Amino acid sequence: RDPAEDSGICSGDECQVNTIRQLIFSSFSKMSSRKKIIFIAASPISLSKTEWDKEFMAIKTVLKQSDLKKRYEIDLIANATPKTITEHLEPQCWIIHFSGHGKEGGKTILETDIRGEFTPRSRDFLEVLSEPVGVKCFFFNSCYSDELADIAIDYVDYVIGVKGSIDNASAIEFAEFFYRSFAKYETIPMAYKDAKRKLSLSKTKDINILFKC
């Protein structure tokens, strides 16, 4: 036997291997423990351009500047088609955030492979979004998403949607308010309530953003 074994001291090569293992395990543990915010963006070229990129960066900045970065990370699905959404949703999603266009009747507009329009049936869309285990909230930051929110509450604990239309600036502002409030309270109902209050103070026009639970 090697005397080093009896003394609990490892040899140089063995120590190096053990250190690498510990680093990999530590890194994996940190990665696997962080919850996901999945940001889905769609803006077909046939419709007016949304500013989802500004909205995404606003949320990312909030996470970076707050303690949320230790517990949450944000992933982007840009130019979202049904296929890319299905391929990129993954376990540990906590909030699924959609930024894009909506139609009356609670219809969500996604993209095709050639940047055209595709409108999935509401329940089909929601069933795909709810596949990851543990999703708590759908945040539909798009016009006419109130009817979609009425159906979506069958799938998750919390849903945020918009009754009527919402302009790009208001959508971005509300998203930033919401995640800043979430960083403060870390509860979705409180974050919604605080963000809606702040948005109403900053706007002359009433933006009707709904919350379901």
Side-chain angles (χ1 to χ4, degrees), residues 88 128 146 211:
H88 290 93
V128 168
D146 55 317
F211 179 74

Side-chain angles (χ1 to χ4, degrees), residues 62-123:
V62 170
L63 294 181
K64 187 177 180 181
Q65 292 175 346
S66 71
D67 284 342
L68 286 180
K69 65 179 177 288
K70 300 174 184 176
R71 297 179 295 282
Y72 294 85
E73 57 185 310
I74 186 167
D75 285 350
L76 171 64
I77 305 176
N79 306 123
T81 68
K83 182 181 178 183
T84 57
I85 292 172
T86 303
E87 289 175 346
H88 290 93
L89 285 181
E90 54 185 277
Q92 294 186 299
C93 295
W94 192 255
I95 298 173
I96 294 181
H97 183 118
F98 175 77
S99 176
H101 290 286
K103 293 180 181 178
E104 291 188 56
K107 302 294 185 182
T108 302
I109 303 175
L110 302 179
E111 297 188 23
T112 66
D113 292 336
I114 55 172
R115 302 291 312 279
E117 296 178 40
F118 176 76
T119 305
R121 290 186 300 180
S122 295
R123 285 209 177 268

